[in-house]
Amino acid sequence: MRTYDSNDYDVIVVGAGHAGSEAALAAARMGQKTLLLTINLDMVAFMPCNPSLGGPAKGIVVREIDALGGQMGKNIDASYVQMRMLNTGKGPAVRALRAQADKNLYHRLMKDTIENEPNLTLRQAMVNELVIEDGECRGVITNTGAKYTAKAVVLTAGTSSRGKIIIGELMYSSGPNNSIPSIKLSEDLEKNGFKLRRFKTGTPPRVDGNTIDYSKTEEQPGDKTPNHFSFTSSDADYLQDQLSCWMTYTNDRTHDIIRNNLDRAPMFSGVIEGVGPRYCPSIEDKIVRFADKPRHQLFLEPEGRDTEEYYVGDFSTSMPEEVQLQMIHSVAGLENAEMMRPGYAIEYDIIEPWQLTHTLETKPVKNLFTAGQMNGTSGYEEAAGQGIVAGINAALRAQGNGETFTLARDEAYIGVLIDDLVTKGTNEPYRLLTSRAEYRLVLRHDNADLRLTDKGYALGLIDEERKAKFDHKKEAIAREIARLRTVRIKPSDKVNALLAKLHQSPLKDGVLASEFLKRPNISYKDVLSLLGEEKAAAIDRYVSEQIEISLRYEGYIKKEQIKIDRLHRMEAKKIPDQIDYDAINGLATEAREKFKKIRPETLAQAERISGVNPADMAILSVYIEQGRIAKVNQAVS
Ligand SMILES: Cc1cc2nc3c(=O)[nH]c(=O)nc-3n(C[C@H](O)[C@H](O)[C@H](O)COP(=O)(O)OP(=O)(O)OC[C@H]3O[C@@H](n4cnc5c(N)ncnc54)[C@H](O)[C@@H]3O)c2cc1C
């Protein structure tokens, strides 16, 4: 292919999925002249699977992206058809907001945001090759021969990389939803020494909502007072006319149909080489793995307001189309359902993520960053969270002042995700789960702004007006918490009547309001009422929430802080870049090989590598310490 020189940019982002959209917006908002190239402009921020965002851990990531100045939260708040807070009966660490998206509207809003962002150019093009000179990425070449140059490049090719769709015996080269796959870019990455591997994921069939018998299903309405993802969305923006989801179940017949056709299931016939997500198995996988389970829950979820398509949640399958039809018709409520699109599995390439640093820059090629599904994750939120970090770092690189941006495991779920990827790699599509975070009590849904807004502001991603509002909120919380530590609740009929109602022992002596709030089932509103300060109703509900959580869980949070302080001490112990692991006597072979492959940046990261044991850590620490002492001695003599 003959190439021709096209424009020069500061940052080029390849792929406008969830990772690419956030990466490009972040770079442009940081003042960098940014180009976003993607195969099909009609698939910007497209949701090829579940038309929903959020849920456990993932919902917190959306809030974190928003707190950093990203877009996902704002656009889902403007396009949801249903909003629900999950786990409301549990502690604040596991509360999770989940939105059902109007999938088409979400795409249109993201495209519109990108089109109207100053400094950002959106163009339809397939990137085939990277321009790499002297170990540095300097640009990209498209399939039409256009050569664009830049100071930094972010790749976010998603499931399109050498994508292959599989439906029963049918198999063809394709990106998600029958889009054009990206083949040459994968080949180019291999040519440049990157280690790739195959993963797979799958999606369920979609059915026509007009043909569902809802009377045989259970309704799942949205919350009466919906919450929102973006800290900038106001209560006045709440949507009132939410759409319901509907719940139904598989049954013996469904399971029989699946069992009788397992020899035609690509998952079991050996045609799939990619590794699938353990936490998001196909229905045929569930029937085999949980053979005793009499039924599995299914969710019928609207794909939007202007379509009758329903997503059959938890029914992901790559069975032949005719088998899928039988499976659908065996389910209560779907006996006469018209299948509009069959489910399918898709196999694709990923870059082994241990080839990346915490900034998401690749180790083999400087100025090249990667984000999203192509780093081995699964999920829109995981992709977008990496996207904003990669976009910020690409912008910082283009600015050329040597700064980098990373998030630690105690600062954000995004930090946990990236650290897991680069430290441990992944053997299956990586999904964020609350159990992956050690410091769950500080990485909450409600405090993402308190954790990250200042960082977003320092990067130039949060404007002055938002920062002023945030500072005001922070001060209001601090002021009120300090006040509650000085005022006392005294025993009275009113106090003891409330305690009796809650089956608690009466109050004998006065107690600080901050302590009284720690009693079970006592709310901040109760405290204010007992203090005779009902004007509380006027206090912002998010300020109240923060006061309540901070005081009620104070003891637990302090305990977690002790562990975080230890982490910080370990993070501060840097491992020299040039360390020669072969020169360290006594390291176990597994630890030595992993250290050489991953090249951890700190002792804390080294400790988290799987297969590294305390004896290896002790040897490594002593070796580094001796090196430091030797250096000091050299300097002195
Ligand atoms: C069938 C299927 C089922 C899935 N199931 C689930 C699920 O159950 N749960 C879940 O959480 N997630 C699921 N996912 C994953 C989810 O879609 C992804 O995690 C998410 O979309 C990843 O975002 P991304 O930005 O990394 O990639 P994508 O959204 O795939 O976006 C990548 C973009 O890059 C473009 N592109 C690729 N190569 C090039 C190139 N060479 N030049 C220019 N542009 C390029 C593509 O056209 C695309 O627009 C599924 C995905 C698929 C396809």
Side-chain angles (χ1 to χ4, degrees):
M1 165 70 63
R2 217 153 100 185
T3 61
Y4 70 94
D5 284 338
S6 194
N7 294 352
D8 182 46
Y9 290 85
D10 294 318
V11 173
I12 295 174
V13 178
V14 179
H18 304 278
S21 298
E22 292 294 346
L25 286 167
R29 287 168 181 170
M30 287 171 69
Q32 302 308 295
K33 188 179 161 199
T34 303
L35 173 66
L36 175 55
L37 297 171
T38 198
I39 293 175
N40 184 346
L41 289 190
D42 298 325
M43 288 182 76
V44 171
F46 175 70
M47 296 180 180
C49 196
N50 203 331
S52 83
L53 287 181
K58 288 163 171 269
I60 302 180
V61 170
V62 183
R63 298 274 276 185
E64 291 176 352
I65 293 167
D66 182 72
L68 286 169
Q71 198 60 33
M72 187 172 244
K74 286 191 178 119
N75 286 2
I76 186 63
D77 283 351
S79 63
Y80 72 90
V81 296
Q82 185 192 95
M83 191 73 84
R84 286 180 74 194
M85 184 66 91
L86 311 177
N87 301 334
T88 43
K90 297 188 185 163
V94 291
R95 265 172 228 159
L97 192 59
R98 184 180 186 276
Q100 208 61 46
D102 184 320
K103 161 171 161 174
N104 196 17
L105 179 57
Y106 184 83
H107 143 74
R108 290 202 322 265
L109 288 178
M110 193 61 90
K111 183 162 178 267
D112 184 62
T113 312
I114 290 168
E115 285 169 347
N116 291 298
E117 186 65 43
N119 298 325
L120 183 52
T121 304
L122 176 65
R123 192 160 296 167
Q124 182 162 296
M126 156 103 76
V127 169
N128 277 357
E129 243 181 85
L130 299 171
V131 180
I132 298 175
E133 290 160 5
D134 303 327
E136 291 186 5
C137 188
R138 306 242 163 101
V140 299
I141 299 173
T142 70
N143 61 350
T144 53
K147 179 178 171 185
Y148 297 96
T149 50
K151 298 182 186 106
V153 173
V154 184
L155 293 185
T156 68
T159 47
S160 303
S161 298
R162 246 181 328 214
K164 196 201 290 177
I165 282 187
I166 304 147
I167 308 172
E169 293 85 7
L170 175 68
M171 211 183 283
Y172 55 95
S173 180
S174 175
N177 202 31
N178 289 342
S179 57
I180 301 175
S182 163
I183 311 251
K184 291 249 166 67
L185 184 60
S186 263
E187 291 169 0
D188 192 54
L189 286 167
E190 273 177 338
K191 205 178 79 197
N192 282 294
F194 283 98
K195 296 262 177 305
L196 309 184
R197 66 180 293 182
R198 298 290 277 170
F199 273 3
K200 80 136 216 227
T201 186
T203 195
R206 313 310 197 256
V207 296
D208 181 346
N210 291 315
T211 61
I212 297 174
D213 182 350
Y214 297 98
S215 67
K216 295 184 176 163
T217 66
E218 295 162 36
E219 187 168 7
Q220 298 261 299
D223 287 344
K224 287 214 170 66
T225 314
N227 212 303
H228 45 67
F229 277 102
S230 175
F231 291 96
T232 60
S233 298
S234 77
D235 283 8
D237 299 334
Y238 288 150
L239 183 75
Q240 294 309 327
D241 59 335
Q242 299 187 57
L243 301 182
S244 288
C245 293
W246 307 83
M247 201 164 71
T248 181
Y249 297 90
T250 61
N251 52 45
D252 286 346
R253 245 190 83 216
T254 325
H255 299 192
D256 284 343
I257 296 167
I258 293 173
R259 278 194 205 103
N260 292 339
N261 286 283
L262 278 181
D263 57 329
R264 299 183 68 195
M267 272 218 62
F268 299 102
S269 62
V271 294
I272 292 188
E273 13 155 1
V275 184
R278 201 171 5 140
Y279 301 103
C280 210
S282 64
I283 187 71
E284 47 268 32
D285 200 11
K286 284 191 253 187
I287 301 304
V288 171
R289 272 166 54 190
F290 311 109
D292 295 341
K293 210 169 168 191
R295 61 181 197 170
H296 293 271
Q297 238 174 22
L298 303 178
F299 292 93
L300 307 175
E301 303 172 359
E303 294 236 327
R305 286 179 191 280
D306 57 1
T307 173
E308 283 304 327
E309 273 191 79
Y310 270 67
Y311 173 93
V312 186
D314 287 340
F315 208 51
S316 174
T317 181
S318 55
M319 282 289 199
E321 187 177 273
E322 60 190 293
V323 180
Q324 291 191 30
L325 268 169
Q326 291 173 41
M327 286 157 57
I328 287 174
H329 292 157
S330 69
V331 172
L334 300 182
E335 293 88 345
N336 297 307
E338 287 284 345
M339 182 168 79
M340 295 180 73
R341 303 181 202 225
Y344 62 91
I346 188 165
E347 267 191 355
Y348 54 94
D349 285 346
I350 66 145
I351 276 195
E352 296 259 22
W354 49 261
Q355 297 166 98
L356 309 172
T357 68
H358 282 89
T359 62
L360 296 180
E361 185 175 18
T362 70
K363 290 175 189 167
V365 179
K366 220 178 144 200
N367 302 340
L368 177 66
F369 299 79
T370 62
Q373 190 104 359
M374 76 176 296
N375 285 349
T377 57
S378 164
Y380 314 125
E381 307 80 352
E382 287 87 342
Q386 291 170 68
I388 192 166
V389 170
I392 290 170
N393 278 299
L396 290 172
R397 178 60 50 80
Q399 284 168 358
N401 49 17
E403 282 177 23
T404 55
F405 175 76
T406 56
L407 289 167
R409 296 184 77 88
D410 61 309
E411 288 177 320
Y413 266 94
I414 302 174
V416 173
L417 161 74
I418 294 177
D419 183 61
D420 278 349
L421 287 178
V422 307
T423 304
K424 299 178 183 148
T426 182
N427 290 323
E428 61 177 326
Y430 177 104
R431 180 178 174 180
L432 254 183
L433 307 165
T434 43
S435 59
R436 298 199 193 265
E438 305 84 337
Y439 312 113
R440 284 197 282 287
L441 214 47
V442 295
L443 301 186
R444 299 189 313 269
H445 177 272
D446 58 271
N447 69 353
D449 58 340
L450 297 168
R451 291 185 274 124
L452 300 172
T453 307
D454 281 329
K455 290 181 190 288
Y457 177 71
L459 290 161
L461 292 172
I462 298 286
D463 64 25
E464 295 296 338
E465 190 188 336
R466 181 166 172 187
K467 169 77 164 111
K469 272 194 193 147
F470 166 70
D471 285 342
H472 186 263
K473 174 181 171 184
K474 212 164 59 170
E475 279 155 24
I477 296 165
R479 204 177 327 114
E480 183 60 355
I481 289 179
R483 189 183 77 89
L484 293 178
R485 291 192 202 283
T486 59
V487 291
R488 297 184 90 79
I489 293 193
K490 297 185 186 120
S492 69
D493 290 348
K494 193 176 172 188
V495 171
N496 287 334
L498 173 70
L499 291 174
K501 210 168 101 192
L502 296 171
H503 307 292
Q504 292 182 28
S505 51
L507 196 65
K508 290 198 182 108
D509 303 307
V511 58
L512 285 174
S514 54
E515 290 304 310
F516 191 77
L517 192 45
K518 288 178 188 157
R519 286 189 165 223
N521 299 323
I522 297 289
S523 69
Y524 172 53
K525 225 169 161 185
D526 292 332
V527 168
L528 289 174
S529 158
L530 296 177
L531 289 169
E533 299 169 1
E534 274 93 346
K535 65 179 184 323
I539 291 191
D540 179 298
R541 68 167 158 144
Y542 300 107
V543 172
S544 310
E545 178 183 56
Q546 221 35 245
I547 292 164
E548 208 166 281
I549 294 172
S550 304
L551 287 174
R552 181 170 300 150
Y553 298 96
E554 194 171 32
Y556 300 102
I557 293 172
K558 271 190 183 146
K559 273 191 198 150
E560 204 155 280
Q561 194 55 48
I562 293 171
K563 291 190 208 149
I564 292 173
D565 292 343
R566 179 186 178 270
L567 173 78
H568 288 173
R569 285 195 297 277
M570 293 289 279
E571 295 284 9
K573 293 186 181 162
K574 301 278 176 227
I575 301 177
D577 273 356
Q578 304 309 327
I579 190 166
D580 177 6
Y581 289 106
D582 287 326
I584 309 178
N585 290 329
L587 278 181
T589 311
E590 184 179 1
R592 189 188 308 280
E593 290 313 311
K594 294 240 170 103
F595 286 154
K596 280 162 69 178
K597 178 169 145 183
I598 294 162
R599 302 208 65 84
E601 293 159 48
T602 63
L603 283 185
Q605 192 191 355
E607 194 178 37
R608 289 193 293 269
I609 296 173
S610 61
V612 170
N613 58 45
D616 300 314
M617 285 309 298
I619 293 168
L620 179 62
S621 314
V622 169
Y623 183 83
I624 293 171
E625 198 49 39
Q626 281 171 347
R628 270 200 201 107
I629 293 168
K631 258 195 191 154
V632 172
N633 287 345
Q634 259 174 14
V636 172
S637 60

